[in-house]
Amino acid sequence: MLSAARARARLRALSIEDRGTLAWQLMEHGERAESCPQALLLLALGGCAGWFNEAVIDAWLSRFAAVSEGQSPDPADDPWPQGRAAVWRARAILAPVPGGTIDQTCDWPDVARFLQRTWAINDRDELIRMLLWLSGQGHRYGWDLDYRRVRRMTTAERLKWRAGLGENEAYGRVLLQFVVRNETPEWAAWDWLRLIDLAWAGWLMGWLDEPEATDFAVHGLDLLQQRYDDWHGVLSAWQRGAGLFEGRDLTGAGDDAGELLLHGRHTPWQGAPASLATEDMLVASRARIRHWRSGARHWMLAIAGVRDPDLLYRQGIAVSADDQRRQDARQYLQNTLDWWPEEGVSAVARYWQPGQAHHLNQLASDATHHALPGVTTPFGRLPRELLDGRRHLADCRDHAATIVMAERFGFQLAMLEDAEVGESEAQLALQRSFAGVLSRFYATPERLLQAWLAWEQVLPEAPEESLADDLEWHLNDPGSLFHWLEYLTGEWREPGPRPTLEQFTALSLAGPLNTPNWGLPMEQHNTQHGELRDWLDSHYGIANASGLREFLDFLSEAGDRQEYQITYAPYTLNRPRLQEEIAIMETGLCSEEEQVHLDRLRRVRDNDQQCNDLDMAAWDIAQLADLSAAGRQLGWLDEASMNLYLERALALAGQHYGDWTSYARGLYAGYSFFMMGVPERPRFLEELGNALMMWLCGTPPLAGPWASLDFPGASARHWPPLHVDVLSQDRSILH
């Protein structure tokens, strides 16, 4: 008989501001017969306030009557949401959702304030990004990784770790307690129940319509049922997560709300979590979640987000980077990649390096068949610590190495997007190419992550930089973005040019004189462009394209090898004449040019690095390959001209040598013989010798590609890799 206004005033006087709080009171008072009168009063007030419809009131009345008579309530008298709305029962740990229609004024009056103050969410787009973050990463990601790493620490390391947390020290204390008592590292329900809660808030705000809100809630339930069999497991995980978040251990404390939900007469948590959604609802929810993560951009976020987890906050609708992140991204592109906006977005394609995948796949295949190169070289024997890594290459035989080069390229694409340099269509094209390649080489997200993890464990990294823990997390967490990507099918095109096997082999003839060319050289307009010009001018006196071509022709036809044959080889047949020449030059002052000649005469006399016994044509061949690539990068050679000179280098290598070892000895001897007399000479020679040893042995795996390539003109000795991601031969060869 009370008016709605007076009934709501009475409820407020009882500290009941919304229907969720009233539902808790009804559950609690309805447990015992002696408190049922109080429950009836609250129910009457809720009815007068307009918070419950007639069907819900009847259901509660039947239940209270059964309790008063000492009987168990009839399950058919169910006051909680039914049908599609049953999914909201999962939210009960935060606030039970009564049956009937929703209404912000009585369900969550201050929902807008809650979203703004607690979550910093002010609009629909921010809400959707947070929903996707909670499902795909959430707080559990950092907690899981910390738990794994802390378990491996010594006691002293754990104390140091906790002290370094600063204001998060309370969290560290709770996590250490969990580790010490071997508490189950399970707290994902903390993220997924809050996902359901935020979906409810979004619906009340009008930012989500009913199908959207329900689909997000079903997604949270979908993830819960993949991890937990019953509500007890859900509640335990929630308590652990809440404890870590609040910095106090809640697992041993009495939880009246939890007891009501697990064992109460009127709990909305009836049956297993899986019972709250039908198969059709799950299918619809999964389709919507994949839609929100559709497109190639989310492939980029997933790959780059392993190294930079903050990127996973940007799922859903793209958002502009803040000023600091934009500045950091631009500095990375310019300082680390040496890419400048003036080059255009398409120039980023030069960082796509298919040769890496070919090389690693070949090493894994050879390791499987015990066909890796020997570990003893003319320049030394591999250290024991590097030998241990070689033994594990065979573990990767079933995993395409495409992800090794793609991982860095994905991060570069993410930095390109953050830098906001324009050309959005060109960026989208690169992202689509990137996603298409990964979709082609990995049939499922699990295959991709397994391949990435296998190679991460083989390729040497500093322990603090290893991504192994992160990858295992993404592999095992059902909410990870990787498991919700849209696989692209049909035609695809790689982000950057793909060298043929012959081009890759020819480029590799430059050896350790420069960093390996894992991709096809492209014209550049960056800092390196100027450095290359200065280097060519200072070392070779080359100032333009015609000068470069003349020198490349010289290397092809004569080179330093001819100078040795004409000027120095005759001395090996007349040693007295050699001694006399050296003595004459040592008695007077020498010009710089004469000093170079004297140094070389001494090397002939001493047969330094076996310069008189070895064919030093490799020195010319390596320079020919190296300068051809430099000419292409400067734009002084087009691709056809570069290929012409690379073919000459291949032909010369096949004429002068039969394998990589003899080529390496010739290169080392030529480098030593024709080097200027500088104080750093011993160090330079030691560095080259070490590099040649690693190139010959293929260890570390990315030192250089000689170990995976057949020497030009030599018989094939490698086992065919198990993966399609290998470089193709550009001509048919009959054996």
Side-chain angles (χ1 to χ4, degrees):
M1 296 179 64
L2 291 176
S3 67
R6 291 183 63 190
R8 291 168 189 163
R10 289 279 299 275
L11 289 169
R12 282 196 298 272
L14 296 171
S15 300
I16 299 174
E17 299 285 346
D18 55 64
R19 288 198 298 185
T21 306
L22 179 55
W24 275 123
Q25 295 285 337
L26 295 177
M27 290 169 61
E28 185 175 356
H29 289 298
E31 280 295 300
R32 301 174 303 279
E34 60 270 22
S35 60
C36 278
Q38 178 66 19
L40 286 169
L41 173 61
L42 293 174
L43 181 63
L45 289 172
C48 292
W51 287 6
F52 296 135
N53 61 28
E54 187 174 343
V56 172
I57 293 174
D58 286 345
W60 279 115
L61 286 173
S62 297
R63 285 179 160 270
F64 296 154
V67 172
S68 298
E69 295 171 2
Q71 300 174 5
S72 297
D74 187 347
D77 297 321
D78 193 339
W80 304 110
Q82 309 291 320
R84 282 176 54 83
V87 66
W88 301 114
R89 296 182 184 219
R91 181 179 173 266
I93 189 66
L94 291 148
V97 178
T101 58
I102 73 160
D103 184 343
Q104 178 180 331
T105 59
C106 60
D107 282 315
W108 203 342
D110 63 344
V111 63
R113 181 181 178 187
F114 166 79
L115 289 170
Q116 199 282 325
R117 292 196 173 185
T118 304
W119 291 95
I121 296 174
N122 296 289
D123 58 36
R124 167 183 164 88
D125 290 352
E126 289 177 346
L127 173 70
I128 290 172
R129 281 192 289 271
M130 187 58 68
L131 290 169
L132 294 173
W133 176 78
L134 281 171
S135 70
Q137 185 183 49
H139 286 119
R140 67 190 183 281
Y141 170 78
W143 297 344
D144 285 346
L145 295 186
D146 280 348
Y147 187 90
R148 290 187 188 196
R149 291 162 184 165
V150 168
R151 279 180 64 95
R152 297 194 291 260
M153 293 179 184
T154 63
T155 301
E157 289 172 336
R158 291 175 180 178
L159 293 175
K160 182 179 179 181
W161 170 80
R162 177 181 167 185
L165 292 175
E167 61 183 15
N168 294 320
E169 188 273 341
Y171 151 75
R173 175 177 49 79
V174 175
L175 186 73
L176 283 174
Q177 290 175 3
F178 288 171
V179 171
V180 169
R181 66 175 186 244
N182 204 27
E183 184 82 31
T184 302
E186 180 50 69
W187 31 66
W190 170 252
D191 290 326
W192 296 333
L193 288 175
R194 289 185 304 151
L195 164 64
I196 297 172
D197 188 50
L198 272 188
W200 174 256
W203 187 12
L204 291 177
M205 285 293 295
W207 292 345
L208 303 176
D209 58 24
E210 187 277 334
E212 288 178 318
T214 300
D215 284 343
F216 273 114
V218 172
H219 181 51
L221 190 66
D222 189 5
L223 298 175
L224 285 169
Q225 71 177 9
Q226 293 183 57
R227 187 66 66 86
Y228 311 105
D229 295 326
D230 53 37
W231 290 110
H232 184 274
V234 172
L235 181 62
S236 296
W238 168 267
Q239 290 172 333
R240 293 189 198 99
L244 289 172
F245 185 77
E246 297 178 16
R248 56 195 183 98
D249 187 359
L250 300 176
T251 55
D255 187 340
D256 294 338
E259 284 297 310
L260 274 178
L261 289 172
L262 291 179
H263 308 297
R265 295 174 182 263
H266 312 294
T267 176
W269 281 4
Q270 299 162 0
S275 67
L276 298 186
T278 66
E279 186 63 29
D280 288 344
M281 292 173 68
L282 290 171
V283 170
S285 171
R286 291 166 184 169
R288 188 181 297 275
I289 298 302
R290 291 188 188 280
H291 169 74
W292 278 116
R293 289 163 165 162
S294 63
R297 176 176 170 271
H298 281 83
W299 279 87
M300 174 193 74
L301 290 178
I303 299 298
V306 176
R307 191 169 292 277
D308 185 0
D310 287 347
L311 287 169
L312 296 182
Y313 277 107
R314 306 180 66 180
Q315 300 172 60
I317 301 167
V319 60
S320 296
D322 58 38
D323 291 340
Q324 183 60 52
R325 188 166 185 90
R326 189 182 307 112
Q327 181 180 350
D328 291 345
R330 290 177 178 177
Q331 288 180 348
Y332 170 84
L333 293 172
Q334 294 171 6
N335 299 340
T336 304
L337 290 191
D338 196 16
W339 176 87
W340 298 79
E342 295 79 7
E343 296 187 85
V345 165
S346 59
V348 175
R350 66 172 173 259
Y351 302 109
W352 183 252
Q353 301 177 325
Q356 275 193 1
H358 174 95
H359 169 67
L360 293 174
N361 285 331
Q362 186 64 68
L363 286 183
S365 180
D366 288 344
T368 303
H369 296 91
H370 307 288
L372 288 173
V375 298
T376 302
T377 74
F379 312 99
R381 179 181 173 85
L382 279 181
R384 181 178 297 276
E385 59 270 19
L386 294 181
L387 285 175
D388 292 339
R390 271 172 57 111
R391 298 190 187 99
H392 297 291
L393 280 169
D395 297 340
C396 299
R397 62 187 179 276
D398 296 328
H399 303 290
T402 316
I403 187 60
V404 175
M405 59 146 176
E407 181 257 317
R408 286 172 175 78
F409 193 75
F411 184 77
Q412 291 156 6
L413 291 181
M415 294 300 99
L416 192 66
E417 181 180 81
D418 281 351
E420 296 183 357
V421 295
E423 296 189 72
S424 57
E425 289 299 322
Q427 291 195 46
L428 179 59
L430 284 174
Q431 292 171 10
R432 286 192 61 81
S433 298
F434 174 73
V437 169
L438 293 177
S439 296
R440 172 183 171 85
F441 290 123
Y442 302 101
T444 65
E446 290 77 14
R447 289 291 297 162
L448 186 152
L449 289 166
Q450 288 165 358
W452 194 349
L453 179 60
W455 283 107
E456 184 73 16
Q457 292 170 333
V458 167
L459 299 179
E461 287 272 5
E464 63 275 11
E465 296 177 1
S466 174
L467 300 177
D469 286 339
D470 305 73
L471 293 169
E472 286 188 6
W473 185 89
H474 284 285
L475 189 60
N476 296 321
D477 190 275
S480 166
L481 173 57
F482 281 94
H483 303 294
W484 300 91
L485 292 172
E486 175 191 37
Y487 265 66
L488 305 183
T489 58
E491 295 184 6
W492 64 280
R493 179 180 179 183
E494 292 197 54
R498 189 178 185 85
T500 65
L501 186 56
E502 285 192 350
Q503 286 174 318
F504 184 46
T505 304
L507 289 166
S508 301
L509 289 169
L513 295 185
N514 213 326
T515 54
N517 275 301
W518 299 109
L520 204 59
M522 301 169 60
E523 185 175 356
Q524 300 177 201
H525 300 280
N526 54 4
T527 305
Q528 188 178 0
H529 187 279
E531 293 173 351
L532 280 174
R533 290 181 67 111
D534 293 342
W535 173 67
L536 287 172
D537 183 38
S538 62
H539 284 69
Y540 295 97
I542 297 173
N544 50 44
S546 61
L548 176 63
R549 288 176 181 270
E550 289 177 6
F551 189 69
L552 291 174
D553 290 335
F554 163 74
L555 288 174
S556 302
E557 298 163 6
D560 288 332
R561 64 189 181 279
Q562 187 180 75
E563 181 184 357
Y564 174 83
Q565 292 297 332
I566 295 174
T567 307
Y568 300 103
Y571 283 112
T572 62
L573 303 176
N574 191 341
R575 191 166 185 81
R577 178 73 183 91
L578 173 62
Q579 298 283 16
E580 181 181 347
E581 183 74 11
I582 293 173
I584 292 172
M585 296 190 70
E586 288 178 339
T587 58
L589 295 175
C590 294
S591 65
E592 183 177 345
E593 198 171 305
E594 290 172 331
Q595 184 62 48
V596 170
H597 180 58
L598 176 59
D599 288 341
R600 291 177 180 174
L601 288 174
R602 289 168 175 164
R603 291 166 194 165
V604 172
R605 177 195 64 192
D606 301 335
N607 195 18
D608 185 58
Q609 309 301 334
Q610 295 183 282
C611 61
N612 302 326
D613 304 325
L614 295 174
D615 184 344
M616 293 187 290
W619 170 242
D620 293 327
I621 298 169
Q623 291 182 94
L624 178 58
D626 193 31
L627 294 179
S628 297
R632 180 73 187 106
Q633 291 169 320
L634 288 170
W636 291 357
L637 298 177
D638 57 22
E639 186 174 345
S641 299
M642 179 188 71
N643 289 337
L644 175 63
Y645 287 114
L646 290 178
E647 288 175 5
R648 292 184 185 180
L650 282 173
L652 284 171
Q655 292 168 12
H656 286 264
Y657 303 97
D659 55 42
W660 288 113
T661 299
S662 59
Y663 179 81
R665 294 181 68 191
L667 177 57
Y668 186 81
Y671 179 82
S672 171
F673 185 82
F674 293 105
M675 184 191 298
M676 302 287 284
V678 294
E680 300 87 356
R681 173 183 167 82
R683 177 170 62 85
F684 289 163
L685 287 173
E686 181 182 9
E687 290 174 353
L688 179 63
N690 289 334
L692 289 169
M693 175 182 65
M694 292 186 287
W695 275 62
L696 289 171
C697 297
T699 305
L702 291 179
W706 285 355
S708 67
L709 295 171
D710 290 319
F711 191 77
S715 300
R717 68 168 186 82
H718 295 282
W719 289 83
L722 304 178
H723 310 291
V724 69
D725 193 8
V726 291
L727 301 180
S728 63
Q729 191 67 262
D730 60 353
R731 66 183 67 179
S732 298
I733 299 177
L734 299 178
H735 296 279

